[in-house]
Amino acid sequence: LGQITQHTLTPIIKQRVYEILHCSYEGSFKALYIEAKVMELLVATFAKQTSKRLPNASETHKLQRIKAIILAELDQPHTVNSLASRVHLSDNKARQGFKQLFGVPIITFLRQQRMEKAAWLLEVEGLTVTDTAVALGYSNMSNFRVAFRNYFGCNPSHYLKLKIMMITHD
């Protein structure tokens, strides 16, 4: 018989599952969307790991500290260099190790977390788009709108309108 293995739930895998569970499409388009997301989920789950050595315990601890710093300081302008320096790790080890450990590059993780926090601040906390951008450290509204659009596929104000429409139709 087959062998049961456990896979780490990386941010990419978690995001794909979230997208499947929160699909707002209907009918055949919903089926097509879910099928595509399941394919993405399978690729993310079974993609071959790079043959480079895995981070050792000390490096893993430092990489987890980088993740914690990002989560605690979403409003700060982090770079890979600044984060690696704070935990006494080389840029190269930080980049490679973070991707191996968490499944995404550091900067991608940072952007994902900022945008998820932005959605939370807009939806749940009721902040304005401007206040949300400021809370996440954006000094330029245009940069915030572009980042939001790249992540969610629409501007923050349109995102809120879609969420309100979804709530009123439930």
Side-chain angles (χ1 to χ4, degrees):
L1 292 184
Q3 181 177 335
I4 296 176
T5 59
Q6 290 185 328
H7 293 277
T8 304
L9 294 180
T10 65
I12 289 174
I13 292 171
K14 288 178 184 177
Q15 183 174 352
R16 295 306 170 262
V17 170
Y18 178 87
E19 290 167 347
I20 291 167
L21 293 174
H22 295 90
C23 175
S24 61
Y25 299 116
E26 297 293 329
S28 60
F29 192 67
K30 180 175 185 170
L32 182 62
Y33 178 85
I34 289 176
E35 183 178 337
K37 290 300 172 183
V38 167
M39 290 298 195
E40 290 178 32
L41 183 60
L42 288 171
V43 168
T45 303
F46 298 110
K48 297 213 187 261
Q49 290 287 329
T50 60
S51 60
K52 297 175 184 170
R53 73 169 179 82
L54 294 173
N56 63 34
S58 173
E59 291 168 345
T60 297
H61 177 71
K62 290 175 182 182
L63 294 165
Q64 289 170 334
R65 283 184 46 213
I66 287 175
K67 182 179 179 182
I69 290 168
I70 289 171
L71 292 173
E73 301 174 4
L74 287 175
D75 62 332
Q76 298 300 310
H78 297 294
T79 64
V80 173
N81 187 331
S82 68
L83 290 164
S85 175
R86 283 178 68 176
V87 299
H88 309 291
L89 201 57
S90 74
D91 288 4
N92 214 18
K93 284 187 179 181
R95 286 179 205 281
Q96 291 175 357
F98 196 93
K99 186 166 183 182
Q100 285 179 314
L101 196 59
F102 301 111
V104 292
I106 293 172
I107 296 303
T108 301
F109 178 77
L110 174 61
R111 286 184 189 130
Q112 288 173 339
Q113 295 306 308
R114 276 191 174 146
M115 291 303 103
E116 291 298 327
K117 177 87 182 248
W120 171 263
L121 292 173
L122 290 166
E123 281 182 64
V124 179
E125 297 294 324
L127 267 61
T128 65
V129 174
T130 301
D131 289 341
T132 298
V134 169
L136 292 171
Y138 285 89
S139 57
N140 183 318
M141 281 299 298
S142 179
N143 289 347
F144 173 70
R145 284 190 180 98
V146 167
F148 196 94
R149 188 179 325 112
N150 287 340
Y151 189 76
F152 287 105
C154 61
N155 290 329
S157 55
H158 188 244
Y159 175 87
L160 278 175
K161 288 177 188 171
L162 290 173
K163 288 296 180 178
I164 290 169
M165 286 174 43
M166 286 174 50
I167 291 170
T168 58
H169 286 94
D170 283 346

